[in-house]
Amino acid sequence: MNKETLIDVQKRIQPYIHRTPVLKSKLLNEISGVQLFFKCENFQKMGAFKIRGATNAILSLSEAERQKGVVTHSSGNFAQAVSLAAKKLGIKAYIVMPENAPQVKKNGVKTYNGEIIECESTPEAREATAARIKDEKGASFLHPSNQDEVILGNGTAAMELLEDHPDLDILMTPVGGGGLIAGTALAAHYFTENCKVIGGEPMVADDAYRSLLSGKIEYNTTFNTVADGLRTHLGDRNFPIIQKYVDRIIRVEEDEIIEAMRLIWERMKIIIEPSCAVPFAALLKNKEEFKNMKVGIILSGGNVDLSNLPF
Amino acid sequence: MNKETLIDVQKRIQPYIHRTPVLKSKLLNEISGVQLFFKCENFQKMGAFKIRGATNAILSLSEAERQKGVVTHSSGNFAQAVSLAAKKLGIKAYIVMPENAPQVKKNGVKTYNGEIIECESTPEAREATAARIKDEKGASFLHPSNQDEVILGNGTAAMELLEDHPDLDILMTPVGGGGLIAGTALAAHYFTENCKVIGGEPMVADDAYRSLLSGKIEYNTTFNTVADGLRTHLGDRNFPIIQKYVDRIIRVEEDEIIEAMRLIWERMKIIIEPSCAVPFAALLKNKEEFKNMKVGIILSGGNVDLSNLPF
């Protein structure tokens, strides 16, 4: 995973993704005292950056592998991303989802022709079911965050942002499974002199923050965060990258996440999901520290259930 | 009001407004069977096209007039537009609002230093209070929709859209007080060969539709529409323009407005207010008629109360 790999990945996935816009907001600059550059992956295909990693992972498979399809377990954006990427590339996607997953998530997968395989709502059942499909169908397993091809694909969002604004002081992302911040950190490392990468994480699911402190992958015991995409833990592929290249992780309270989300909705008139608001909440919490700096924020996604908003 | 006036107005207000982006959506093109071009005035300063007309109206005043300030009666976007335009130009804005106007609207005006003068919640009280301020302060009265300078300013949104996409077959806007559709119709008339202008209007507040039928300005007796910006009626300045240059008005039901709004929120991840969804609802209702055409829609504004959404 070096500079050339990232350049190759960017070229390879380009035809299948949007080059998303970078938005600025005078009002939010005034409120924060920071020069903000929002990379709008909420406008990405299927509504989140996840299509980048999913597309790259599938394109990395051999012809023979592709013919047998891909399988993942996810009830979130990665399920839709794999379904859409597989559809575009004309291959089969098997999506393992807990039987109690919200209908809106299931519909998302069906829209893109993903085949849903239901299982019990435990991590063990998910993994066992995905392993069974892998065996039965010969499908390749794609991990939502802990796989090199996924990490590299995710890094292309930051690469585009840095092409547009090469002089950023800071790059910020949310931290869930670690796939986005790891890819972003690689991009910052290989394509800037000294742009720091900082993560935002919910206080009640601060596994990554604790992992950086202890030096080993920590897990969450509470998950009760509005940022439903950030309940997962880091993995052995992305953790070493995060240890090496991420400056630090800032933790935020639930009300800070909701307030940051509301500010972006009201002031920028764009829809972002709660997980996506976490780095902006982290910035607002520490705004004095970032005064007058140029800060790029990856707005990770915009898939929300409009009937169930936190405000 | 000819081609040269419009060009002058565009030049004059340019430093004070955003040139808003034109967004496309493959998904909404597929759903509608139409090639859609959305002019995003929801991203405009203060969140709506109204800043265009307000700015032009103030810039049209003499130095002496400006020093005495401006007055308007509005509890909607025009109140904020006049407040912001006046603030930018360093003059005083008096905003007459009904005493029962929502706090969120009052706060919007205060953000931009507008001075609120409260009155009873009747059209008579509003007009009498505005007239009193006009007399007492010597302030110039600005009308939200029925004033040439406001109509011309509003027309610049369509001018920009037509500069970006000169080959539109249709231009659509909502119809409330008539100021936006009149300006848009002038732009289409002077800057295209045969681009038709079509309005969208709520069935329960279809005064403009009936006005075009009867040939005189009609009024609403019901106002119970989610599209709260479209409850007003046409005026003697904009009605003749609408009669002359608008092709027709399509009426839509309340559930069609909400469905169109939801589609834009969910698919485009942008926030638009209910009034703004009305032309898109009108298009969807008649999509067969517009098949494969290039249709520009002015997304008029994005100011919604997030605590009080219709879904």
Side-chain angles (χ1 to χ4, degrees):
Chain A
M1 293 207 271
N2 54 29
K3 193 167 176 170
E4 284 64 42
T5 331
L6 276 165
I7 292 170
D8 287 346
V9 167
Q10 189 185 25
K11 264 193 215 136
R12 174 162 36 168
I13 68 171
Q14 208 157 28
Y16 304 98
I17 59 159
H18 288 316
R19 177 154 189 141
T20 52
V22 177
L23 294 187
K24 291 177 268 182
S25 163
K26 214 184 252 185
L27 268 165
L28 294 187
N29 286 354
E30 277 167 23
I31 289 170
S32 64
V34 171
Q35 284 184 68
L36 294 160
F37 300 86
F38 294 100
K39 176 69 173 168
C40 289
E41 290 294 295
N42 55 330
F43 295 159
Q44 187 52 268
K45 282 178 201 267
M46 54 64 56
F49 74 94
K50 296 265 181 186
I51 190 70
R52 295 177 183 268
T55 301
N56 188 49
I58 295 178
L59 288 171
S60 305
L61 299 173
S62 69
E63 251 328 303
E65 286 170 325
R66 286 196 213 179
Q67 280 181 15
K68 293 181 178 162
V70 289
V71 56
T72 191
H73 52 69
S74 162
S75 53
N77 284 328
F78 196 67
Q80 290 188 52
V82 169
S83 305
L84 176 58
K87 187 187 170 199
K88 286 260 169 197
L89 294 164
I91 75 170
K92 183 94 193 167
Y94 304 97
I95 313 292
V96 177
M97 286 182 117
E99 54 202 359
N100 61 357
Q103 194 58 42
V104 60
K105 303 272 184 185
K106 292 183 185 171
N107 291 347
V109 166
K110 284 179 192 162
T111 304
Y112 302 125
N113 296 353
E115 183 178 327
I116 296 172
I117 293 104
E118 294 194 348
C119 69
E120 274 182 73
S121 178
T122 65
E124 297 75 23
R126 281 172 159 216
E127 280 170 32
T129 309
R132 179 171 60 78
I133 299 292
K134 191 168 176 293
D135 285 351
E136 280 179 19
K137 312 280 185 185
S140 299
F141 178 72
L142 304 185
H143 193 285
S145 55
N146 194 42
Q147 182 178 340
D148 291 0
E149 293 77 19
V150 171
I151 293 167
L152 289 163
N154 294 347
T156 59
M159 287 170 72
E160 290 175 9
L161 175 52
L162 289 167
E163 280 172 9
D164 293 347
H165 300 280
D167 56 348
L168 296 180
D169 301 301
I170 310 276
L171 260 172
M172 296 184 82
T173 77
V175 187
L180 176 60
I181 196 162
T184 302
L186 287 175
H189 173 68
Y190 288 117
F191 298 99
T192 75
E193 286 297 315
N194 43 25
C195 173
K196 281 185 191 167
V197 174
I198 296 176
E201 199 175 32
M203 191 67 80
V204 296
D206 67 342
D207 57 291
Y209 176 85
R210 288 182 285 108
S211 301
L212 283 182
L213 279 187
S214 71
K216 62 184 176 53
I217 296 172
E218 303 285 348
Y219 298 84
N220 291 311
T221 49
T222 59
F223 304 89
N224 193 20
T225 175
V226 68
D228 54 350
L230 310 185
R231 290 170 187 157
T232 45
H233 53 78
L234 304 179
D236 62 339
R237 298 306 306 165
N238 58 49
F239 184 45
I241 301 171
I242 294 170
Q243 281 184 299
K244 201 163 174 186
Y245 298 125
V246 170
D247 190 65
R248 70 191 173 107
I249 289 170
I250 295 170
R251 297 174 300 168
V252 288
E253 304 291 350
E254 294 300 297
D255 58 345
E256 293 169 330
I257 298 171
I258 295 168
E259 175 59 22
M261 176 174 166
R262 189 175 189 128
L263 260 178
I264 287 180
W265 281 47
E266 287 188 339
R267 302 299 181 157
M268 296 182 66
K269 312 295 181 192
I270 62 173
I271 290 177
I272 60 166
E273 56 194 70
S275 305
C276 177
V278 171
F280 183 52
L283 177 128
L284 289 176
K285 192 172 189 168
N286 294 262
K287 61 184 182 181
E288 284 311 316
E289 175 189 341
F290 301 111
K291 209 166 173 68
N292 296 326
M293 286 186 182
K294 289 186 174 161
V295 178
I297 296 183
I298 313 273
L299 291 182
S300 50
N303 291 330
V304 280
D305 181 357
L306 292 179
S307 310
N308 188 20
L309 295 174
F311 29 71
Chain B
M1 294 206 272
N2 55 28
K3 193 169 177 170
E4 284 64 41
T5 330
L6 276 165
I7 293 170
D8 288 346
V9 167
Q10 190 186 23
K11 264 193 214 137
R12 173 164 34 169
I13 69 170
Q14 209 157 27
Y16 304 97
I17 59 158
H18 288 316
R19 178 155 188 139
T20 51
V22 177
L23 294 187
K24 292 177 268 184
S25 163
K26 214 185 252 186
L27 268 165
L28 293 186
N29 286 355
E30 277 167 22
I31 289 170
S32 63
V34 171
Q35 284 184 69
L36 294 161
F37 300 86
F38 294 99
K39 176 69 172 169
C40 290
E41 290 294 295
N42 55 330
F43 295 159
Q44 187 51 269
K45 282 177 202 266
M46 54 62 57
F49 74 94
K50 295 265 180 185
I51 189 70
R52 295 177 183 268
T55 301
N56 188 48
I58 295 178
L59 289 171
S60 305
L61 299 174
S62 70
E63 252 328 303
E65 286 169 325
R66 287 197 212 178
Q67 280 180 15
K68 292 180 179 164
V70 289
V71 56
T72 190
H73 52 68
S74 161
S75 53
N77 283 328
F78 196 67
Q80 290 189 51
V82 169
S83 303
L84 176 59
K87 186 186 169 198
K88 287 260 170 198
L89 295 163
I91 75 170
K92 183 95 194 166
Y94 305 96
I95 312 293
V96 176
M97 286 182 118
E99 54 204 358
N100 60 358
Q103 194 57 43
V104 60
K105 303 273 185 184
K106 292 183 185 172
N107 291 345
V109 167
K110 284 179 192 163
T111 304
Y112 302 125
N113 297 352
E115 184 176 327
I116 296 172
I117 293 103
E118 294 193 349
C119 70
E120 273 183 73
S121 179
T122 64
E124 296 75 23
R126 282 172 159 217
E127 280 169 31
T129 309
R132 178 172 60 79
I133 300 293
K134 191 166 177 294
D135 286 351
E136 281 178 20
K137 312 281 185 184
S140 300
F141 178 71
L142 304 185
H143 194 284
S145 54
N146 194 42
Q147 181 177 339
D148 291 0
E149 293 76 19
V150 171
I151 294 167
L152 289 163
N154 294 346
T156 58
M159 288 170 71
E160 291 176 7
L161 173 53
L162 288 167
E163 280 172 8
D164 293 346
H165 300 280
D167 56 348
L168 297 180
D169 301 301
I170 310 276
L171 259 172
M172 296 184 81
T173 77
V175 187
L180 176 60
I181 196 161
T184 302
L186 288 175
H189 174 69
Y190 288 118
F191 298 99
T192 75
E193 286 299 315
N194 43 24
C195 173
K196 279 185 193 168
V197 174
I198 296 176
E201 197 175 33
M203 192 67 79
V204 295
D206 67 343
D207 57 290
Y209 176 86
R210 286 180 287 108
S211 300
L212 283 182
L213 280 187
S214 72
K216 63 183 175 54
I217 296 173
E218 302 286 347
Y219 298 84
N220 292 310
T221 49
T222 59
F223 304 90
N224 194 21
T225 174
V226 68
D228 54 350
L230 309 185
R231 290 170 186 157
T232 44
H233 53 79
L234 305 179
D236 62 339
R237 297 306 305 165
N238 58 48
F239 183 46
I241 300 171
I242 294 169
Q243 281 185 300
K244 199 162 175 188
Y245 299 124
V246 170
D247 189 66
R248 71 191 171 106
I249 289 169
I250 296 171
R251 296 174 300 168
V252 289
E253 303 291 350
E254 294 299 298
D255 58 345
E256 293 169 330
I257 298 171
I258 295 168
E259 175 60 21
M261 177 173 166
R262 190 177 189 126
L263 260 178
I264 287 180
W265 282 47
E266 287 188 339
R267 302 299 180 158
M268 296 182 66
K269 311 294 180 192
I270 63 173
I271 291 177
I272 61 166
E273 55 193 71
S275 305
C276 177
V278 170
F280 183 53
L283 177 127
L284 289 175
K285 192 171 189 168
N286 293 263
K287 59 185 182 180
E288 284 312 316
E289 175 188 340
F290 301 112
K291 209 168 174 66
N292 296 326
M293 286 187 183
K294 290 186 174 160
V295 178
I297 296 183
I298 313 273
L299 291 182
S300 51
N303 292 330
V304 281
D305 181 357
L306 292 179
S307 311
N308 189 19
L309 296 173
F311 31 69

